[in-house]
Amino acid sequence: MLDTPEAVVEALRENHERPHGLARTVTAEELVEAAEVFEKPDVLVTALLELMTAYEFTGEQRKSPVAFARILKLWDTAPDSFSPYEAHQVFWRFKWVTTSLLQVPEMPLATVAGWIDQMRERYEAAGHGVQPVAAMRYHLAQHTGTGVPDAYDLWATRPRTDLSDCEACETRHHAWYQVTAGDDARALDIWRPVLDGEQVCSEEPQMSQARALLPLLRTGRTDEARSHHLTGYRKVRGNTGMQAEVGLHLEFCALSRNEGRGLEILAENRPLFEATGAPLDRLGFLTGVEVLLARLVEDGHDATAVAGPPGRDWTAAELLAHVRADAEPLAAAFDARNGTSAVGDRRRERLARRPLLDEPLPLGLRAAAAVRATAQATPATAPPTAARTTIPDDFAALVREARRMSRDGHPGDSRLWTRIAERRATATEPHDATLGPEDLLRAELAEHEAQKHWLDDRHTKGVAELAAAVAHFERLDMPWHALSARARTLAWSTSPSPRDDEPAPDRAATRTALDELLRAVDKQLAETPFDGEPRGEAEASFGTDLRAERTLAYLSVRYSAAFAAYQELLAALAKAVSGDAAGDGDGGEDQDVDALTERFEEAVHTLRTEATRLGYPHQSANARQFVADMMGRRGAMADAERELRAALQDLEAAGRPWRRPRPTALLAQILLAQDRPQEAVELLHSAIADAVTYDDTSFALAPTYMLLGHASSHLGDHNGAVRHLSEAAARFDQAGDPGEATDARLQLAMVLGRSGRNADAVAVLESVLADEAASGADERALAQARLTLGRGLRELEEYLPAAEELLRLADTVADWPEEDRAVLTLVAAEAATTLALADRWDAADTAYARAVAAHAEAPNPPIVCLMLREFARLTMQRHDTAETEGAGGTQPVDAALAHLARADAVLDALPPGEEGFAVWYERGEIHYRRARVLAEAGRFEEALPEAEAAVATHEGGGEEGELARAEAVRVAALIEGNGLERTNEAIARLTTAAARCRNSGHPEAAQVLDALRQEFLSR
C-alpha cells in the first residue's frame, strides 16, 4: 500500500534500483500519482525527479520538460521541500530540458532559446557560473549549424563549475566538434581519456565509443574500432535511451563490410523502431538502419529477410523504403523548425558514405546462421584483385595457359580451369581441334573437379571424378596420365573425410592395389619411355611438352605412393598413442608400425631420388615435407627444421616460389614448438603473402591465421593476436567449419582476457554461446566458454548475468562423470559468490549449500575456501551498506566468523602432504580475513593476533608470499595504530616491513607501507 509518505519513499528507492526501461518509467509515473495526495510536497519532489530521470534515460525526452515544469513550480512555491541534493538537481536539470526541447521538431526554436535565457537568469540569480549556459548555447548552434565556432569558443574558454557536465561528457563534445571540423586525428587524441576508461559516467564511454567508430576507421585504427564496437555495443543494445548510438553501430557494420553483423544487431533492437519519445535520436537510429540496408540493396540482397518493426516480415528493400518514408519527413521537420538544412545535410552525408575497407574487418564474432550468407557477400577469403590470375579471352589460349600452369604446379591454374568449365557449360564454345581431342579436355576438367572436391573434404566425389578421368585417358591411349589419376584415386581413399558418409578406408586393400599399380609403372617405363613418340592424337597435342607431361605424371604416381604410406603410418601412430594394438583394424589384417615406417621411408626416398634424377626438385621438396611432418610428430624438431629448410631450397632451385606457402607454414609450426615465436611469425606472414601473391586459393589460410595468432600471443603482441585470431574465425566461418571457428574464438577470448580487454572477451564469448548447437564445439569447450564468460561478466560488475551463466553451467556439469565432479564444486562456489555480489542472498545461500555438498563429494579446497572468505567479506559489507542482520538472524560478525571457521575446517580435513595448491596461502588468507572482520566489528584486541598470524603464515610461503605478507602487515598496522592507538608500534612495524619489501624487489608495496607510515608520523 502506498498510503504513507514512507511507503512511497521506499517504493521510489526500490524503483531506482531497477534498470532503465518501460517498467521503471511506468512505476515512476504511478509513484508521482501516489505522492500527489500528501500535504507536504517533499515526496512529490523526489518522485518527480525520479520520473524525469526515467524519461531521460529511456528516450522519452518529449515528456521530460513537462515533469521539470512541475518541479520548477514547486521550487518557486515550496523551496524548503527540496533537500540539498534535490536543490542542486533543479539547476542541473535545466540542461536536460534544453537538450530535450532540441529533440522535438514541433518545439519552436524561439522557445528553446528562451529557455536557455531563463536558465541564465536563474543561474545568475543563484550565484552559479554560466559555463553550463554557454554549453547549451553551443549545443543549440551545433544542432542548427549556425554560429558554431563562436558558440564553441564561448563555451570552451569558460571555467568549469559544479553544474558543468561531467568531464567525460564534455570530452565527448570537445572531440565531436573536431570530428565535424574534419580533424579525426585531433578528435581521437581529445577522446583518449574517455576511450581509455580514465573518464567515465553513466553514459560514457559507450556514447563516445559509438561516435569514435567512424573516425577510427577513417584513420586506419581498425584494431581500436573493433574493440570499441564489441564493448560499446553491449552497453547500448536494446536501450531506447541509446537508439542513436545503436544507429552508429549499424553504420559501422556497413562501412566495415560486416553487413551480416549489422543484420544481427537489427534483429536484437526491433523495439527501437517503436521508440518515438526522442525524435532526434530516432532519426539517428533510422539513418544508421538506412545506411546498412542501402548497402545490402546495392549489393543485390534486396530480397534478404531482415528484422524490422514488429508485426510483419520484412525484406531489405521493403524495410529500406519504410525507413526512408519515416526518416525523410522527420529530417525535413527539424530543418523547417531550425530554418537551416543542417540536420538533413548530416543525414545525407551519412547516407553517401561507402565502405572504408576492401575486405570485411574481422570482428571475432560468430554471425547467426540466418545472416551468415549475407555476411559472405564480400568474403574475407577473396585475395586482392591484383593477385588474381589473368584469364585470356581466347578459348584456345585459355586452355593452353591452364595446361602450362598445371605443368608448373602453379595454383593460379584453378581459376583458368574453372573458367574453361563455365564457358563449356554454355554449350556455345566450339571445340578447337588444335587443342587435341575433346575427350582430353573432358579428362583434364574431371581432374580439376576432383581436386576441388578433395580440397572441400569430399573425397568420395573426388574419387568418382578421377575415375571418369581415368576412363577418358585410357580411351585416348594416354597410359601415364591414366596411371597418375588411378594412383591418386587409391591414395585419396586412404584419407577418411569427415564430410563423406563412408565406412573407414580399407587400407590393406589399397596398399595391395598400389603395389600392383607400381608394378604396372615399371612395365610402362619399358613400353612408353618419357622421350618416346606420341601414342596418339591426344599426346601429340602436347608437342614439345610431351616429355614433361609424362615425367610429371610418373612423379605424380610416386607422390601418391608416398602420400598413401604417410596416411597409413599416421593412422597406425594414432592407434598406438590411443593404446590400441598397432595395426590397421580393417580387412582383419594387422600391420606393425615398424613395417609401415619402413614402407613410408622407402616411398619418400624413391620420390626424392626420382625427382632429383629427372630434374624436378619440387617433388623432392614434397618428399621432405612428408619426412619433416613425421619427424615433428615424433618430437625430432631440429631434424624436421633441417628437412623443411632443405625443401625450401629445393623449391628455390625448381623456380617454383608459389609452392612455398605449405612448407613455410609447417616450418613455422616446428619453430613455434621450439619456442621461437618471432621466427614463426615472420614465416607465417611470408606464407600468407606468397599464397596471395600467387593466387593460391587452396592454401589453408584460416589455420595459418590461427597459428599466427597463437605465435603473436607468445610474443606478447596481443593486438596482433586479436587481429589474426579474428581473421581465422571469420575464414573458418566462411569455410563452413563451425567447430574450428569456435576454437579460434575461444582462443581469441583468452587473449583478450589476458591483455586486460575483458569487455571484448565477454562480447566474443556471448557470440559463441548465443547458439551452442550451431557452434560446432564439444560440451567441454562450451563449458569452459561459459565459465570464462561468467567470470568476465563478474569482473565487469554485471553480477546477475554472471550468476545466471554460472548457474546454467552448474546444471550442465552436474551430469558429468564422477571423475569430473570437482568441476561442480568450482562452479557452484563461484555462482554462490556471484549471487552474493548481486545482492541475491537467498539464491546465494542455496548455491552456497550446493557448493558445500559438492565439496563433500568431490573436494576442491582452494575454490571452496575462496568462497567462504568472500562470504565473510560480503556479509560484513552487506551489514555496512544496509545495516541488516546476517543470515539466520545472527549478527553479521558472527555469520562472517562462522564462514571462516568452516574454511578452517576444510583445511583441517586435508590429508597429510596434500599437494596441488598452496595450503599456507589459504591459511594466511583466512587469518587475514578474520582480522578484517574483527576489526570492522571494533574487536581490535582479537583482530591484531589474527593479522599477525596472517603475516607469519604468509612468511612461510617464501618469495611467493611476500606481497600477501606486506598486505597483512598493513592491516596489522592499521589495527594497531587506529584501533588500539599504538601509533609508535605501528610505525615500527611499517618501517621494518617497507625495508623488507624494498630488499625483496617489491618497491610498489614498499611505497604503500611508507605512505601509511608517513600518515602515522604526521600525527
Side-chain angles (χ1 to χ4, degrees), residues 323-339:
V323 168
R324 279 180 177 161
D326 277 357
E328 287 178 358
L330 189 54
F334 277 109
D335 285 344
R337 187 272 301 269
N338 298 338

Side-chain angles (χ1 to χ4, degrees), residues 746-809:
L746 296 180
Q747 289 193 39
L748 171 60
M750 289 175 58
V751 171
L752 289 167
R754 285 199 301 267
S755 61
R757 292 155 65 179
N758 192 45
D760 298 51
V762 163
V764 171
L765 290 168
E766 286 177 335
S767 160
V768 169
L769 293 166
D771 184 359
E772 295 181 32
S775 71
D778 62 31
E779 183 183 40
R780 291 179 183 273
L782 291 173
Q784 181 61 53
R786 196 171 296 285
L787 176 62
T788 307
L789 174 58
R791 289 170 171 173
L793 289 167
R794 187 173 61 210
E795 288 182 26
L796 294 176
E797 298 185 2
E798 298 180 29
Y799 298 126
L800 201 54
E804 290 170 355
E805 293 293 342
L806 293 168
L807 289 172
R808 191 176 297 117
L809 178 58

Side-chain angles (χ1 to χ4, degrees), residues 180 233 347 369 441 456 568 773:
T180 58
Y233 172 67
R347 168 178 150 76
L441 193 53
D456 198 33
E568 275 199 286

Side-chain angles (χ1 to χ4, degrees), residues 305-318:
V306 299
R312 57 159 289 186
D313 296 331
W314 298 88
T315 66
E318 291 168 343

Side-chain angles (χ1 to χ4, degrees), residues 171-195:
T171 296
R172 177 180 75 248
H173 297 313
H174 285 301
W176 192 246
Y177 176 76
Q178 298 299 330
V179 171
T180 58
D183 194 342
D184 288 340
R186 178 162 171 71
L188 292 170
D189 187 52
I190 292 171
W191 248 322
R192 186 194 55 76
V194 175
L195 297 179

